[in-house]
Amino acid sequence: MQVVSFSKLGQIGLITIDNPPVNALSQAVRAGLKEAVTQGIADSDVKAMVVICAGRTFAAGADIREFETGMKEPFLPPVLSLIENSDKPVIAALHGTALGGGMELALGCHFRVAVGKAKIGLPEVKLGILPGAGGTQRLPRLIGAEAALKMIAEGNPISASQAKTWGAVDEIIEGDLKEGAIAFAEKVLAEKRPLRRASQLTAKVDDPDLFERYTSSIAVKQRGFLAPFNCIKAVRAATELPFEQGVERERALFLELVNSPQSKAQRHVFFSEREVTKIPGLPGDTPIRDIQSIGVIGAGAMGVGIALCCANVGIPVVLLEMNQENLDRGLAVIRKTYAGSVGKGRLKQEDMDRRLALITPTLSYGDLSNADLVIEAVFEDLAVKKEVFSQLDTVCKPGAILATNTSYLNLNEIAAFTRRPQDVVGMHFFSPANVMKLLENVRGDKTAPDVLATAQAIGKKLGKLPVMVGVCPGFVGNRMFMPRLRESFFLLEEGASPQQIDQAMFDFGFPMGPLATADMAGLDIAWRHRKVNYEQLTPREQACNLLDKICELGRYGQKTGAGIYRYDERRNAAPDPLIEDLIVKHSAERGVTRRNISDQEILERCLYVMINEGAKILEEGVAARPLDIDMIWVFGYGFPVYRGGPMFYADQLGLATVYEALLRYQEQLGAEFWKPAPLLEKLAKEGKGFY
Ligand code: 3HC
């Protein structure tokens, strides 16, 4: 297939890129562009050229897969120089998303026109790299260093009109893009407009402290990432060096990143995020049930969050509670949440009113009779779930999907409370449900294929990243969270402090450590879980009863102002001498001699225990692929995106390294906690990874 074509419309040479789905600048496209531009330059009938793309978008960047396989010539920078050095005007005609190398292509042209809806940006930083085809040098010269710095180091696209204001776009085209671009080219010729070569402009920087100020402003948000800081260096070079040297600096900074583990991890996340929503073995054309209205049961924090998600995307919700007081409280939270967004200017008052009008409160199950999907978010107790699902079985129309938000209970048992287990599915939202991106959908043994497909589709519609998992206690995320928490308590007992454990995990890249997370989630939840499962615990787990001791003091975490840490009214954590004392006494009572524990041991014990559990989850088929586990941990539990998720990270470490450490800890701490999963053992011995 010819991915670049050249045609003539009078004196205008039209270069069309047609490389679906997003016109990525693959080797074939670069070669085609080079040939077409050369042809246009050589043809004396051609006086100007327009570069345009077929399909849904202007080029959305380099072909990211080529970073893995290695780029082949021609490279993009010399093709862009060829364009920029042409004496005939070259105009880029933008629509859709002109991103990354696509935007760099546009910057290499002398002029840019765009449809009003086009978006333009340099999102490379989100892949752990920086624009590597002159973007960091041309953009600051075109729109000034400050605006360019923000675009490049944060990676968010801007609208065509914003680009016009800043001078990155010359004209917004109202009607047909091709016609408009050709008319623009004719105008350039008629007016004999001088060619505007971005490389020959000067990058303006108004504030002498711009780069220092900006670096410190992103220090917290971009903690741990390499790419944003290399982006800053590259843009700075545009303000200090001639173009050619700036490009060399850009190249060096780009190469530093493109081969780094961080960028590999971020590219892995880019592709996995797209792959994960597809269910292996389920045909892509599986029919989807029509969801026009949703019922939510329970107006607690979870139910309210789910109701907000539905209303946010325009789906009517019936919100059911058992008593008026709870219902009123839930509705008040909904109103407060929206009012907060209006107050911050993120939501218009009329949109708030429209969303509120979509939520119908009720105390009667009968009002769920028309719902296409009902999501229950009631108390985590099988008897309560039985009551709810028996009622739903009676009132819901045939074909309605009955979903449970349970985070631990057995979905198959819940499905068996109905006469329609094929319609029952798990939809495990994460708190706060209107904010967290992850949605763990759970397939029961009898869940129908179209229900699975619908759960994924509606998850996406609600703005979530839906990952399909199988039934087991805690599913994937919480099942891996629990052994990590167990290890954290063991480490406390053996000599570590809460701060040391949390700091080690924070430094690894988590937004907070496991103990601070447990405080945030509510220690009572883990405590309740512990009590319910007490008989199944090993003797050491039973004896390591720090959680009991802390909870017995009424310290349930952030919500009670104290847990493992103490909290002020703004929920800032501080270490509590009372807890430190409690831990030391606990070790003494248990006859454990406290020792110095290295950060490395903390990291290994908290992370490898998860990786080992992940391997078991894969073996059992609870997660279909390692990428499902990785996306759950990146999008639901704050695993640093630049480490790609626990399974990808394990591969980067090398499974042999992980395996050897498991054997060491098995010796030190017992096989009941540290026996290597057979899959991990097998892969490590074969020198393979999870991927
Ligand atoms: N390279 C390779 N494949 C790409 C791609 C790219 N740059 N961009 C998208 N794709 C693939 C996706 O993986 C997906 O494949 P699939 O159908 O097999 O899952 C398909 O194209 C469609 O993509 P989306 O599902 O994401 O489609 P959307 O319509 O939701 O979004 C988009 C379109 C906004 C363009 C989005 O795909 C996107 O953000 N793409 C990446 C843009 C980007 O990061 N560009 C910079 C690349 S690096 C670069 O240019 C380096 C340069 O400086 C040298």
Side-chain angles (χ1 to χ4, degrees), residues 20-22 24-25 56-58 60-67 71 76-77 97 99-102 104 121-124 126-127 129-135 251 254 270-271 274-275 278:
V22 297
L25 298 167
R56 69 197 216 211
T57 181
F58 193 79
D63 187 336
I64 301 166
R65 293 195 190 275
E66 281 186 8
F67 294 132
M71 290 264 171
L76 193 53
T97 43
L99 300 179
E104 292 177 297
L122 292 169
E124 283 89 340
K126 297 187 179 180
L127 297 168
I129 52 173
L130 53 76
R251 187 92 213 127
F254 174 86
F270 175 85
F271 286 115
R274 284 158 176 78
E275 190 60 27
K278 302 167 194 160

Side-chain angles (χ1 to χ4, degrees), residues 578-604:
L578 185 147
I579 291 294
E580 281 161 26
D581 201 38
L582 183 148
I583 294 170
V584 171
K585 277 199 190 118
H586 168 86
S587 303
E589 277 163 28
R590 293 259 298 114
V592 177
T593 311
R594 295 179 66 78
R595 63 184 168 96
N596 278 332
I597 295 179
S598 69
D599 289 350
Q600 181 64 19
E601 178 172 344
I602 291 174
L603 276 186
E604 288 182 359

Side-chain angles (χ1 to χ4, degrees), residues 137-152:
Q137 303 305 301
R138 287 194 177 94
L139 189 63
R141 286 177 160 82
L142 206 56
I143 67 171
E146 184 156 7
L149 183 59
K150 225 172 135 52
M151 279 187 77
I152 293 169

Side-chain angles (χ1 to χ4, degrees), residues 48 69 75 88 135 187 197 322 342 418 517 584 646:
T69 54
F75 302 126
K88 299 177 183 179
K187 195 162 61 182
R197 297 188 170 99
M322 288 301 94
V342 172
T418 72
T517 307
V584 171

Side-chain angles (χ1 to χ4, degrees), residues 160-171:
S161 63
Q162 179 69 76
K164 168 111 189 335
T165 311
W166 282 351
V169 157
D170 299 283
E171 195 169 295

